[in-house]
Amino acid sequence: MPSSPSFPVETLHAFRGLSTASVADAVEMHGARGFLSGAVRQQAPGTGSLVGPAVTVREVPADAPEPPTHALAAIDESAPGSVVCIDAAGADIAVWGGLMTAGAVARGIAGAVLDAGVRDVTEISRDYPDFPVYARSAVPATTVGRYRTVSLNEPVVVGGVTIRPGDLVVADRDGVVRVPEELVADVLRSATEIEEREREQTRLILASGSLRDGLAKYNRI
């Protein structure tokens, strides 16, 4: 069965107030890479930041038409607030579209992150403006007869980063970051401290009229 969100509401709310830049830096401070390739970018913007626990699906090339069984299960059986992450190894086909978005919205899914393409972007943006989709491309090609789903809630690789079910996904206009589940509390604390220091640094730069003064005191760029 797909995993359920396991993070307190307060934690999710706090991450929504942070930039992915700060979160990515904080993940690296704790010895991991969090940021996905910039090729996985915002295709349908949604509203605000995307934050939620990952539900993972893997797709591979196929010679015969098959229904996307695991992807359908990820949508219909996952808890509200989940983020569906699909690994199709960067395929130039659409592993997500308007009908899947309708199902995701009906289930309260928070968004989708795809190592492949998405289609029906105009429809998604028009009919489901609050639903964010991050993908490598917008492309009209269907998966049917080209790709099939082979796993649900097993580790996948999206944008060069391994995402496990239950890891926290954070995304905004800069891109997507994966926060390992066991590091969520530490990363939240570190990212919050980063943003507090940057606000102090910004005030110093504006007051002194010197970028170098800010860098000398806070050693951050």
Side-chain angles (χ1 to χ4, degrees):
M1 289 289 291
S3 63
S4 299
S6 56
F7 304 112
V9 172
E10 295 79 11
T11 296
L12 300 176
H13 179 74
F15 270 100
R16 290 188 187 100
L18 298 170
S19 72
T20 52
S22 298
V23 176
D25 288 355
V27 174
E28 290 193 333
M29 288 172 60
H30 292 280
R33 171 181 165 176
F35 68 93
L36 275 59
S37 166
V40 180
R41 60 190 183 276
Q42 194 177 70
Q43 301 290 341
T47 301
S49 298
L50 170 62
V51 177
V55 172
T56 61
V57 176
R58 182 167 174 256
E59 302 201 12
V60 299
D63 296 326
E66 292 185 28
T69 304
H70 298 88
L72 300 180
I75 292 169
D76 272 2
E77 299 174 15
S78 295
S82 301
V83 177
V84 177
C85 301
I86 300 181
D87 169 10
D92 193 26
I93 47 87
V95 298
W96 194 273
L99 292 175
M100 295 175 79
T101 302
V105 169
R107 285 290 305 165
I109 301 299
V113 176
L114 318 169
D115 203 336
V118 58
R119 66 180 187 174
D120 303 324
V121 173
T122 298
E123 174 188 338
I124 294 169
S125 299
R126 180 193 66 218
D127 297 343
Y128 313 104
D130 295 339
F131 190 87
V133 179
Y134 292 78
R136 283 188 177 268
S137 63
V139 59
T142 180
T143 58
V144 178
R146 296 187 176 97
Y147 274 70
R148 61 188 178 92
T149 62
V150 294
S151 72
L152 173 62
N153 278 339
E154 296 179 5
V156 297
V157 177
V158 179
V161 174
T162 297
I163 300 178
R164 301 166 303 173
D167 285 347
L168 188 66
V169 176
V170 183
D172 61 16
R173 292 186 65 183
D174 280 349
V176 185
V177 179
R178 176 280 323 240
V179 182
E181 183 176 10
E182 68 277 10
L183 293 179
V184 165
D186 291 337
V187 167
L188 176 57
R189 182 175 59 256
S190 296
T192 300
E193 291 171 355
I194 286 170
E195 296 214 342
E196 290 172 351
R197 288 199 306 273
E198 285 200 348
R199 284 191 288 269
E200 294 173 1
Q201 184 174 356
T202 297
R203 286 193 290 268
L204 174 60
I205 291 167
L206 293 175
S208 68
S210 171
L211 175 60
R212 285 178 294 186
D213 285 353
L215 298 182
K217 181 172 181 178
Y218 291 94
N219 192 32
R220 180 168 174 80
I221 186 67

